[in-house]
PDB file of all heavy atoms in Angstrom:
ATOM      1  N   ARG A 201     -25.249  -1.254  -7.351  1.00 75.00           N
ATOM      2  CA  ARG A 201     -26.665  -1.624  -7.393  1.00 75.00           C
ATOM      3  C   ARG A 201     -27.566  -0.430  -7.688  1.00 75.00           C
ATOM      4  O   ARG A 201     -28.586  -0.219  -7.026  1.00 75.00           O
ATOM      5  CB  ARG A 201     -27.086  -2.304  -6.102  1.00 75.00           C
ATOM      6  CG  ARG A 201     -26.427  -3.649  -5.900  1.00 75.00           C
ATOM      7  CD  ARG A 201     -26.990  -4.362  -4.718  1.00 75.00           C
ATOM      8  NE  ARG A 201     -26.357  -5.663  -4.588  1.00 75.00           N
ATOM      9  CZ  ARG A 201     -26.687  -6.554  -3.689  1.00 75.00           C
ATOM     10  NH1 ARG A 201     -27.655  -6.284  -2.830  1.00 75.00           N
ATOM     11  NH2 ARG A 201     -26.076  -7.702  -3.632  1.00 75.00           N
ATOM     12  N   GLY A 202     -27.137   0.359  -8.625  1.00 76.00           N
ATOM     13  CA  GLY A 202     -27.935   1.491  -9.063  1.00 76.00           C
ATOM     14  C   GLY A 202     -27.807   2.739  -8.211  1.00 76.00           C
ATOM     15  O   GLY A 202     -28.328   3.787  -8.549  1.00 76.00           O
ATOM     16  N   ALA A 203     -27.103   2.637  -7.095  1.00 77.00           N
ATOM     17  CA  ALA A 203     -26.925   3.800  -6.221  1.00 77.00           C
ATOM     18  C   ALA A 203     -25.515   4.358  -6.401  1.00 77.00           C
ATOM     19  O   ALA A 203     -24.541   3.607  -6.419  1.00 77.00           O
ATOM     20  CB  ALA A 203     -27.161   3.426  -4.765  1.00 77.00           C
ATOM     21  N   GLU A 204     -25.425   5.653  -6.533  1.00 74.00           N
ATOM     22  CA  GLU A 204     -24.138   6.319  -6.685  1.00 74.00           C
ATOM     23  C   GLU A 204     -23.635   6.730  -5.307  1.00 74.00           C
ATOM     24  O   GLU A 204     -24.402   7.227  -4.487  1.00 74.00           O
ATOM     25  CB  GLU A 204     -24.328   7.554  -7.568  1.00 74.00           C
ATOM     26  CG  GLU A 204     -23.046   8.100  -8.115  1.00 74.00           C
ATOM     27  CD  GLU A 204     -23.296   9.208  -9.122  1.00 74.00           C
ATOM     28  OE1 GLU A 204     -23.543   8.909 -10.298  1.00 74.00           O
ATOM     29  OE2 GLU A 204     -23.241  10.376  -8.689  1.00 74.00           O
ATOM     30  N   TYR A 205     -22.357   6.487  -5.031  1.00 70.00           N
ATOM     31  CA  TYR A 205     -21.784   6.918  -3.758  1.00 70.00           C
ATOM     32  C   TYR A 205     -20.356   7.386  -3.948  1.00 70.00           C
ATOM     33  O   TYR A 205     -19.675   7.009  -4.894  1.00 70.00           O
ATOM     34  CB  TYR A 205     -21.890   5.814  -2.697  1.00 70.00           C
ATOM     35  CG  TYR A 205     -21.118   4.555  -3.011  1.00 70.00           C
ATOM     36  CD1 TYR A 205     -19.867   4.331  -2.454  1.00 70.00           C
ATOM     37  CD2 TYR A 205     -21.642   3.587  -3.861  1.00 70.00           C
ATOM     38  CE1 TYR A 205     -19.167   3.180  -2.746  1.00 70.00           C
ATOM     39  CE2 TYR A 205     -20.949   2.438  -4.150  1.00 70.00           C
ATOM     40  CZ  TYR A 205     -19.712   2.232  -3.586  1.00 70.00           C
ATOM     41  OH  TYR A 205     -19.009   1.097  -3.872  1.00 70.00           O
ATOM     42  N   GLN A 206     -19.910   8.210  -3.032  1.00 74.00           N
ATOM     43  CA  GLN A 206     -18.606   8.857  -3.099  1.00 74.00           C
ATOM     44  C   GLN A 206     -17.563   8.031  -2.346  1.00 74.00           C
ATOM     45  O   GLN A 206     -17.781   7.649  -1.202  1.00 74.00           O
ATOM     46  CB  GLN A 206     -18.690  10.267  -2.486  1.00 74.00           C
ATOM     47  CG  GLN A 206     -17.408  11.049  -2.520  1.00 74.00           C
ATOM     48  CD  GLN A 206     -17.015  11.497  -3.915  1.00 74.00           C
ATOM     49  OE1 GLN A 206     -17.846  11.587  -4.804  1.00 74.00           O
ATOM     50  NE2 GLN A 206     -15.739  11.766  -4.106  1.00 74.00           N
ATOM     51  N   ILE A 207     -16.437   7.748  -3.000  1.00 74.00           N
ATOM     52  CA  ILE A 207     -15.286   7.101  -2.367  1.00 74.00           C
ATOM     53  C   ILE A 207     -14.290   8.212  -2.061  1.00 74.00           C
ATOM     54  O   ILE A 207     -13.701   8.792  -2.967  1.00 74.00           O
ATOM     55  CB  ILE A 207     -14.633   6.065  -3.314  1.00 74.00           C
ATOM     56  CG1 ILE A 207     -15.627   5.010  -3.739  1.00 74.00           C
ATOM     57  CG2 ILE A 207     -13.399   5.457  -2.675  1.00 74.00           C
ATOM     58  CD1 ILE A 207     -16.055   4.062  -2.660  1.00 74.00           C
ATOM     59  N   ASP A 208     -14.131   8.540  -0.782  1.00 78.00           N
ATOM     60  CA  ASP A 208     -13.226   9.625  -0.389  1.00 78.00           C
ATOM     61  C   ASP A 208     -11.770   9.170  -0.300  1.00 78.00           C
ATOM     62  O   ASP A 208     -10.866   9.891  -0.674  1.00 78.00           O
ATOM     63  CB  ASP A 208     -13.644  10.214   0.958  1.00 78.00           C
ATOM     64  CG  ASP A 208     -14.954  10.979   0.865  1.00 78.00           C
ATOM     65  OD1 ASP A 208     -15.244  11.532  -0.205  1.00 78.00           O
ATOM     66  OD2 ASP A 208     -15.681  11.018   1.865  1.00 78.00           O
ATOM     67  N   PHE A 209     -11.560   7.984   0.240  1.00 83.00           N
ATOM     68  CA  PHE A 209     -10.198   7.497   0.439  1.00 83.00           C
ATOM     69  C   PHE A 209      -9.906   6.383  -0.559  1.00 83.00           C
ATOM     70  O   PHE A 209     -10.553   5.344  -0.548  1.00 83.00           O
ATOM     71  CB  PHE A 209     -10.009   7.001   1.873  1.00 83.00           C
ATOM     72  CG  PHE A 209     -10.103   8.103   2.880  1.00 83.00           C
ATOM     73  CD1 PHE A 209     -11.271   8.295   3.595  1.00 83.00           C
ATOM     74  CD2 PHE A 209      -9.041   8.956   3.094  1.00 83.00           C
ATOM     75  CE1 PHE A 209     -11.374   9.320   4.517  1.00 83.00           C
ATOM     76  CE2 PHE A 209      -9.133   9.983   4.011  1.00 83.00           C
ATOM     77  CZ  PHE A 209     -10.295  10.164   4.720  1.00 83.00           C
ATOM     78  N   ILE A 210      -8.922   6.616  -1.397  1.00 87.00           N
ATOM     79  CA  ILE A 210      -8.570   5.691  -2.465  1.00 87.00           C
ATOM     80  C   ILE A 210      -7.452   4.763  -1.974  1.00 87.00           C
ATOM     81  O   ILE A 210      -6.493   5.215  -1.346  1.00 87.00           O
ATOM     82  CB  ILE A 210      -8.117   6.490  -3.709  1.00 87.00           C
ATOM     83  CG1 ILE A 210      -9.286   7.341  -4.167  1.00 87.00           C
ATOM     84  CG2 ILE A 210      -7.621   5.571  -4.805  1.00 87.00           C
ATOM     85  CD1 ILE A 210      -8.950   8.336  -5.227  1.00 87.00           C
ATOM     86  N   PRO A 211      -7.566   3.450  -2.248  1.00 91.00           N
ATOM     87  CA  PRO A 211      -6.520   2.512  -1.825  1.00 91.00           C
ATOM     88  C   PRO A 211      -5.185   2.819  -2.516  1.00 91.00           C
ATOM     89  O   PRO A 211      -5.139   3.028  -3.725  1.00 91.00           O
ATOM     90  CB  PRO A 211      -7.050   1.149  -2.261  1.00 91.00           C
ATOM     91  CG  PRO A 211      -8.492   1.338  -2.547  1.00 91.00           C
ATOM     92  CD  PRO A 211      -8.675   2.782  -2.905  1.00 91.00           C
ATOM     93  N   LYS A 212      -4.131   2.837  -1.741  1.00 94.00           N
ATOM     94  CA  LYS A 212      -2.768   3.059  -2.238  1.00 94.00           C
ATOM     95  C   LYS A 212      -1.838   2.088  -1.527  1.00 94.00           C
ATOM     96  O   LYS A 212      -2.232   1.408  -0.588  1.00 94.00           O
ATOM     97  CB  LYS A 212      -2.293   4.486  -1.951  1.00 94.00           C
ATOM     98  CG  LYS A 212      -3.139   5.586  -2.564  1.00 94.00           C
ATOM     99  CD  LYS A 212      -2.904   5.717  -4.031  1.00 94.00           C
ATOM    100  CE  LYS A 212      -3.710   6.892  -4.564  1.00 94.00           C
ATOM    101  NZ  LYS A 212      -3.467   7.107  -5.967  1.00 94.00           N
ATOM    102  N   VAL A 213      -0.583   2.059  -1.949  1.00 98.00           N
ATOM    103  CA  VAL A 213       0.458   1.278  -1.295  1.00 98.00           C
ATOM    104  C   VAL A 213       1.569   2.237  -0.896  1.00 98.00           C
ATOM    105  O   VAL A 213       1.944   3.111  -1.680  1.00 98.00           O
ATOM    106  CB  VAL A 213       0.998   0.177  -2.236  1.00 98.00           C
ATOM    107  CG1 VAL A 213       2.215  -0.493  -1.651  1.00 98.00           C
ATOM    108  CG2 VAL A 213      -0.075  -0.844  -2.528  1.00 98.00           C
ATOM    109  N   LYS A 214       2.079   2.080   0.328  1.00 98.00           N
ATOM    110  CA  LYS A 214       3.209   2.899   0.778  1.00 98.00           C
ATOM    111  C   LYS A 214       4.435   2.002   0.920  1.00 98.00           C
ATOM    112  O   LYS A 214       4.394   0.997   1.623  1.00 98.00           O
ATOM    113  CB  LYS A 214       2.900   3.590   2.103  1.00 98.00           C
ATOM    114  CG  LYS A 214       4.084   4.422   2.615  1.00 98.00           C
ATOM    115  CD  LYS A 214       3.712   5.393   3.702  1.00 98.00           C
ATOM    116  CE  LYS A 214       3.525   4.748   5.018  1.00 98.00           C
ATOM    117  NZ  LYS A 214       3.449   5.718   6.126  1.00 98.00           N
ATOM    118  N   ILE A 215       5.503   2.389   0.240  1.00 98.00           N
ATOM    119  CA  ILE A 215       6.779   1.683   0.324  1.00 98.00           C
ATOM    120  C   ILE A 215       7.735   2.571   1.111  1.00 98.00           C
ATOM    121  O   ILE A 215       7.876   3.751   0.798  1.00 98.00           O
ATOM    122  CB  ILE A 215       7.368   1.414  -1.078  1.00 98.00           C
ATOM    123  CG1 ILE A 215       6.388   0.615  -1.924  1.00 98.00           C
ATOM    124  CG2 ILE A 215       8.714   0.692  -0.965  1.00 98.00           C
ATOM    125  CD1 ILE A 215       6.784   0.528  -3.376  1.00 98.00           C
ATOM    126  N   GLU A 216       8.368   2.007   2.135  1.00 98.00           N
ATOM    127  CA  GLU A 216       9.331   2.750   2.943  1.00 98.00           C
ATOM    128  C   GLU A 216      10.705   2.088   2.816  1.00 98.00           C
ATOM    129  O   GLU A 216      10.826   0.876   2.959  1.00 98.00           O
ATOM    130  CB  GLU A 216       8.895   2.768   4.403  1.00 98.00           C
ATOM    131  CG  GLU A 216       7.564   3.478   4.604  1.00 98.00           C
ATOM    132  CD  GLU A 216       7.065   3.367   6.026  1.00 98.00           C
ATOM    133  OE1 GLU A 216       7.412   4.244   6.843  1.00 98.00           O
ATOM    134  OE2 GLU A 216       6.359   2.392   6.314  1.00 98.00           O
ATOM    135  N   LEU A 217      11.714   2.910   2.539  1.00 96.00           N
ATOM    136  CA  LEU A 217      13.092   2.438   2.393  1.00 96.00           C
ATOM    137  C   LEU A 217      14.009   3.349   3.186  1.00 96.00           C
ATOM    138  O   LEU A 217      13.786   4.550   3.230  1.00 96.00           O
ATOM    139  CB  LEU A 217      13.549   2.527   0.933  1.00 96.00           C
ATOM    140  CG  LEU A 217      12.637   2.086  -0.179  1.00 96.00           C
ATOM    141  CD1 LEU A 217      13.091   2.691  -1.493  1.00 96.00           C
ATOM    142  CD2 LEU A 217      12.676   0.595  -0.266  1.00 96.00           C
ATOM    143  N   VAL A 218      15.051   2.790   3.764  1.00 96.00           N
ATOM    144  CA  VAL A 218      16.136   3.603   4.317  1.00 96.00           C
ATOM    145  C   VAL A 218      17.376   3.214   3.529  1.00 96.00           C
ATOM    146  O   VAL A 218      17.754   2.037   3.484  1.00 96.00           O
ATOM    147  CB  VAL A 218      16.322   3.370   5.829  1.00 96.00           C
ATOM    148  CG1 VAL A 218      17.505   4.179   6.347  1.00 96.00           C
ATOM    149  CG2 VAL A 218      15.050   3.750   6.591  1.00 96.00           C
ATOM    150  N   ILE A 219      17.967   4.208   2.868  1.00 96.00           N
ATOM    151  CA  ILE A 219      19.067   3.945   1.943  1.00 96.00           C
ATOM    152  C   ILE A 219      20.208   4.934   2.170  1.00 96.00           C
ATOM    153  O   ILE A 219      20.006   6.000   2.750  1.00 96.00           O
ATOM    154  CB  ILE A 219      18.581   4.030   0.477  1.00 96.00           C
ATOM    155  CG1 ILE A 219      17.969   5.410   0.182  1.00 96.00           C
ATOM    156  CG2 ILE A 219      17.590   2.917   0.174  1.00 96.00           C
ATOM    157  CD1 ILE A 219      17.573   5.617  -1.264  1.00 96.00           C
ATOM    158  N   PRO A 220      21.404   4.607   1.665  1.00 95.00           N
ATOM    159  CA  PRO A 220      22.511   5.564   1.738  1.00 95.00           C
ATOM    160  C   PRO A 220      22.203   6.804   0.888  1.00 95.00           C
ATOM    161  O   PRO A 220      21.518   6.715  -0.132  1.00 95.00           O
ATOM    162  CB  PRO A 220      23.694   4.795   1.146  1.00 95.00           C
ATOM    163  CG  PRO A 220      23.322   3.355   1.222  1.00 95.00           C
ATOM    164  CD  PRO A 220      21.827   3.311   1.132  1.00 95.00           C
ATOM    165  N   VAL A 221      22.730   7.935   1.297  1.00 96.00           N
ATOM    166  CA  VAL A 221      22.490   9.201   0.606  1.00 96.00           C
ATOM    167  C   VAL A 221      22.850   9.102  -0.879  1.00 96.00           C
ATOM    168  O   VAL A 221      22.154   9.652  -1.731  1.00 96.00           O
ATOM    169  CB  VAL A 221      23.287  10.343   1.283  1.00 96.00           C
ATOM    170  CG1 VAL A 221      23.199  11.626   0.490  1.00 96.00           C
ATOM    171  CG2 VAL A 221      22.819  10.561   2.707  1.00 96.00           C
ATOM    172  N   GLU A 222      23.922   8.375  -1.198  1.00 96.00           N
ATOM    173  CA  GLU A 222      24.399   8.289  -2.573  1.00 96.00           C
ATOM    174  C   GLU A 222      23.379   7.643  -3.519  1.00 96.00           C
ATOM    175  O   GLU A 222      23.440   7.844  -4.723  1.00 96.00           O
ATOM    176  CB  GLU A 222      25.699   7.470  -2.656  1.00 96.00           C
ATOM    177  CG  GLU A 222      26.813   7.943  -1.772  1.00 96.00           C
ATOM    178  CD  GLU A 222      26.672   7.423  -0.330  1.00 96.00           C
ATOM    179  OE1 GLU A 222      26.403   6.223  -0.112  1.00 96.00           O
ATOM    180  OE2 GLU A 222      26.832   8.242   0.580  1.00 96.00           O
ATOM    181  N   MET A 223      22.461   6.864  -2.986  1.00 95.00           N
ATOM    182  CA  MET A 223      21.505   6.137  -3.824  1.00 95.00           C
ATOM    183  C   MET A 223      20.181   6.880  -4.032  1.00 95.00           C
ATOM    184  O   MET A 223      19.358   6.452  -4.830  1.00 95.00           O
ATOM    185  CB  MET A 223      21.190   4.773  -3.213  1.00 95.00           C
ATOM    186  CG  MET A 223      22.356   3.813  -3.198  1.00 95.00           C
ATOM    187  SD  MET A 223      21.863   2.188  -2.606  1.00 95.00           S
ATOM    188  CE  MET A 223      20.908   1.599  -3.999  1.00 95.00           C
ATOM    189  N   VAL A 224      19.989   7.988  -3.329  1.00 97.00           N
ATOM    190  CA  VAL A 224      18.680   8.650  -3.328  1.00 97.00           C
ATOM    191  C   VAL A 224      18.224   9.051  -4.730  1.00 97.00           C
ATOM    192  O   VAL A 224      17.104   8.712  -5.138  1.00 97.00           O
ATOM    193  CB  VAL A 224      18.673   9.866  -2.374  1.00 97.00           C
ATOM    194  CG1 VAL A 224      17.402  10.679  -2.551  1.00 97.00           C
ATOM    195  CG2 VAL A 224      18.803   9.407  -0.937  1.00 97.00           C
ATOM    196  N   ASP A 225      19.048   9.747  -5.470  1.00 97.00           N
ATOM    197  CA  ASP A 225      18.633  10.222  -6.792  1.00 97.00           C
ATOM    198  C   ASP A 225      18.280   9.068  -7.724  1.00 97.00           C
ATOM    199  O   ASP A 225      17.281   9.114  -8.448  1.00 97.00           O
ATOM    200  CB  ASP A 225      19.725  11.089  -7.429  1.00 97.00           C
ATOM    201  CG  ASP A 225      19.908  12.410  -6.699  1.00 97.00           C
ATOM    202  OD1 ASP A 225      18.964  12.841  -6.011  1.00 97.00           O
ATOM    203  OD2 ASP A 225      21.001  12.997  -6.822  1.00 97.00           O
ATOM    204  N   GLU A 226      19.082   8.014  -7.690  1.00 97.00           N
ATOM    205  CA  GLU A 226      18.852   6.850  -8.543  1.00 97.00           C
ATOM    206  C   GLU A 226      17.551   6.129  -8.165  1.00 97.00           C
ATOM    207  O   GLU A 226      16.754   5.761  -9.031  1.00 97.00           O
ATOM    208  CB  GLU A 226      20.046   5.902  -8.408  1.00 97.00           C
ATOM    209  CG  GLU A 226      20.028   4.725  -9.330  1.00 97.00           C
ATOM    210  CD  GLU A 226      21.272   3.859  -9.163  1.00 97.00           C
ATOM    211  OE1 GLU A 226      21.982   3.960  -8.136  1.00 97.00           O
ATOM    212  OE2 GLU A 226      21.527   3.067 -10.078  1.00 97.00           O
ATOM    213  N   VAL A 227      17.322   5.962  -6.873  1.00 97.00           N
ATOM    214  CA  VAL A 227      16.110   5.286  -6.394  1.00 97.00           C
ATOM    215  C   VAL A 227      14.865   6.113  -6.725  1.00 97.00           C
ATOM    216  O   VAL A 227      13.869   5.585  -7.233  1.00 97.00           O
ATOM    217  CB  VAL A 227      16.207   4.998  -4.878  1.00 97.00           C
ATOM    218  CG1 VAL A 227      14.859   4.617  -4.302  1.00 97.00           C
ATOM    219  CG2 VAL A 227      17.233   3.910  -4.617  1.00 97.00           C
ATOM    220  N   VAL A 228      14.913   7.413  -6.461  1.00 98.00           N
ATOM    221  CA  VAL A 228      13.756   8.281  -6.734  1.00 98.00           C
ATOM    222  C   VAL A 228      13.431   8.271  -8.226  1.00 98.00           C
ATOM    223  O   VAL A 228      12.260   8.146  -8.614  1.00 98.00           O
ATOM    224  CB  VAL A 228      14.017   9.715  -6.217  1.00 98.00           C
ATOM    225  CG1 VAL A 228      12.984  10.685  -6.764  1.00 98.00           C
ATOM    226  CG2 VAL A 228      14.010   9.731  -4.691  1.00 98.00           C
ATOM    227  N   ALA A 229      14.434   8.364  -9.080  1.00 97.00           N
ATOM    228  CA  ALA A 229      14.199   8.359 -10.526  1.00 97.00           C
ATOM    229  C   ALA A 229      13.590   7.034 -10.977  1.00 97.00           C
ATOM    230  O   ALA A 229      12.666   7.010 -11.808  1.00 97.00           O
ATOM    231  CB  ALA A 229      15.504   8.630 -11.274  1.00 97.00           C
ATOM    232  N   ALA A 230      14.082   5.929 -10.428  1.00 97.00           N
ATOM    233  CA  ALA A 230      13.572   4.611 -10.807  1.00 97.00           C
ATOM    234  C   ALA A 230      12.119   4.431 -10.369  1.00 97.00           C
ATOM    235  O   ALA A 230      11.284   3.938 -11.138  1.00 97.00           O
ATOM    236  CB  ALA A 230      14.452   3.519 -10.203  1.00 97.00           C
ATOM    237  N   VAL A 231      11.804   4.829  -9.145  1.00 97.00           N
ATOM    238  CA  VAL A 231      10.426   4.703  -8.650  1.00 97.00           C
ATOM    239  C   VAL A 231       9.496   5.591  -9.467  1.00 97.00           C
ATOM    240  O   VAL A 231       8.414   5.168  -9.873  1.00 97.00           O
ATOM    241  CB  VAL A 231      10.333   5.040  -7.150  1.00 97.00           C
ATOM    242  CG1 VAL A 231       8.876   5.135  -6.702  1.00 97.00           C
ATOM    243  CG2 VAL A 231      11.080   4.012  -6.313  1.00 97.00           C
ATOM    244  N   GLN A 232       9.916   6.809  -9.720  1.00 97.00           N
ATOM    245  CA  GLN A 232       9.083   7.735 -10.488  1.00 97.00           C
ATOM    246  C   GLN A 232       8.786   7.164 -11.878  1.00 97.00           C
ATOM    247  O   GLN A 232       7.654   7.198 -12.347  1.00 97.00           O
ATOM    248  CB  GLN A 232       9.757   9.094 -10.606  1.00 97.00           C
ATOM    249  CG  GLN A 232       8.882  10.129 -11.281  1.00 97.00           C
ATOM    250  CD  GLN A 232       9.509  11.516 -11.266  1.00 97.00           C
ATOM    251  OE1 GLN A 232      10.641  11.692 -10.851  1.00 97.00           O
ATOM    252  NE2 GLN A 232       8.756  12.490 -11.709  1.00 97.00           N
ATOM    253  N   LYS A 233       9.798   6.606 -12.525  1.00 97.00           N
ATOM    254  CA  LYS A 233       9.617   6.047 -13.865  1.00 97.00           C
ATOM    255  C   LYS A 233       8.667   4.852 -13.842  1.00 97.00           C
ATOM    256  O   LYS A 233       7.761   4.747 -14.670  1.00 97.00           O
ATOM    257  CB  LYS A 233      10.966   5.631 -14.430  1.00 97.00           C
ATOM    258  CG  LYS A 233      10.880   5.055 -15.827  1.00 97.00           C
ATOM    259  CD  LYS A 233      12.264   4.733 -16.364  1.00 97.00           C
ATOM    260  CE  LYS A 233      12.148   4.252 -17.788  1.00 97.00           C
ATOM    261  NZ  LYS A 233      12.618   2.921 -17.996  1.00 97.00           N
ATOM    262  N   GLU A 234       8.853   3.937 -12.885  1.00 96.00           N
ATOM    263  CA  GLU A 234       8.048   2.714 -12.842  1.00 96.00           C
ATOM    264  C   GLU A 234       6.624   2.947 -12.357  1.00 96.00           C
ATOM    265  O   GLU A 234       5.707   2.259 -12.786  1.00 96.00           O
ATOM    266  CB  GLU A 234       8.714   1.669 -11.946  1.00 96.00           C
ATOM    267  CG  GLU A 234       9.918   1.034 -12.555  1.00 96.00           C
ATOM    268  CD  GLU A 234       9.641   0.326 -13.868  1.00 96.00           C
ATOM    269  OE1 GLU A 234       8.624  -0.406 -13.982  1.00 96.00           O
ATOM    270  OE2 GLU A 234      10.439   0.508 -14.796  1.00 96.00           O
ATOM    271  N   ALA A 235       6.424   3.898 -11.454  1.00 97.00           N
ATOM    272  CA  ALA A 235       5.093   4.107 -10.874  1.00 97.00           C
ATOM    273  C   ALA A 235       4.214   5.024 -11.717  1.00 97.00           C
ATOM    274  O   ALA A 235       3.008   5.102 -11.492  1.00 97.00           O
ATOM    275  CB  ALA A 235       5.227   4.674  -9.457  1.00 97.00           C
ATOM    276  N   CYS A 236       4.798   5.696 -12.687  1.00 96.00           N
ATOM    277  CA  CYS A 236       4.052   6.683 -13.475  1.00 96.00           C
ATOM    278  C   CYS A 236       3.134   6.030 -14.498  1.00 96.00           C
ATOM    279  O   CYS A 236       3.559   5.195 -15.289  1.00 96.00           O
ATOM    280  CB  CYS A 236       5.032   7.620 -14.184  1.00 96.00           C
ATOM    281  SG  CYS A 236       4.204   8.904 -15.137  1.00 96.00           S
ATOM    282  N   THR A 237       1.856   6.423 -14.467  1.00 94.00           N
ATOM    283  CA  THR A 237       0.900   6.001 -15.496  1.00 94.00           C
ATOM    284  C   THR A 237       0.494   7.199 -16.347  1.00 94.00           C
ATOM    285  O   THR A 237      -0.135   7.034 -17.373  1.00 94.00           O
ATOM    286  CB  THR A 237      -0.371   5.404 -14.877  1.00 94.00           C
ATOM    287  OG1 THR A 237      -1.069   6.422 -14.149  1.00 94.00           O
ATOM    288  CG2 THR A 237      -0.052   4.231 -13.970  1.00 94.00           C
ATOM    289  N   GLY A 238       0.825   8.399 -15.868  1.00 92.00           N
ATOM    290  CA  GLY A 238       0.438   9.607 -16.570  1.00 92.00           C
ATOM    291  C   GLY A 238      -0.956  10.094 -16.224  1.00 92.00           C
ATOM    292  O   GLY A 238      -1.434  11.063 -16.789  1.00 92.00           O
ATOM    293  N   ARG A 239      -1.595   9.406 -15.286  1.00 89.00           N
ATOM    294  CA  ARG A 239      -2.939   9.804 -14.884  1.00 89.00           C
ATOM    295  C   ARG A 239      -2.921  10.345 -13.458  1.00 89.00           C
ATOM    296  O   ARG A 239      -1.992  10.097 -12.686  1.00 89.00           O
ATOM    297  CB  ARG A 239      -3.886   8.603 -14.966  1.00 89.00           C
ATOM    298  CG  ARG A 239      -4.058   8.102 -16.400  1.00 89.00           C
ATOM    299  CD  ARG A 239      -5.099   7.029 -16.472  1.00 89.00           C
ATOM    300  NE  ARG A 239      -4.834   5.987 -15.495  1.00 89.00           N
ATOM    301  CZ  ARG A 239      -4.703   4.709 -15.793  1.00 89.00           C
ATOM    302  NH1 ARG A 239      -4.810   4.303 -17.030  1.00 89.00           N
ATOM    303  NH2 ARG A 239      -4.462   3.827 -14.848  1.00 89.00           N
TER     304      ARG A 239
END
């Protein structure tokens, strides 16, 4: 409404997983690829 204001806290989503050690690299790479927008 014509007034400028500062948004300090930006909405995000937190995903929590507990996985076997063997899957960590694969899961991290997949999340990084899918969540990346480059911005």
Side-chain angles (χ1 to χ4, degrees):
R201 293 187 178 184
E204 196 173 276
Y205 63 99
Q206 181 71 22
I207 302 290
D208 291 330
F209 294 100
I210 298 171
K212 301 285 184 177
V213 171
K214 178 165 77 168
I215 303 170
E216 297 174 89
L217 316 161
V218 177
I219 58 175
V221 173
E222 305 82 46
M223 293 185 72
V224 171
D225 292 337
E226 186 178 18
V227 166
V228 167
V231 170
Q232 185 174 6
K233 181 177 184 241
E234 286 301 316
C236 182
T237 65
R239 295 186 309 236

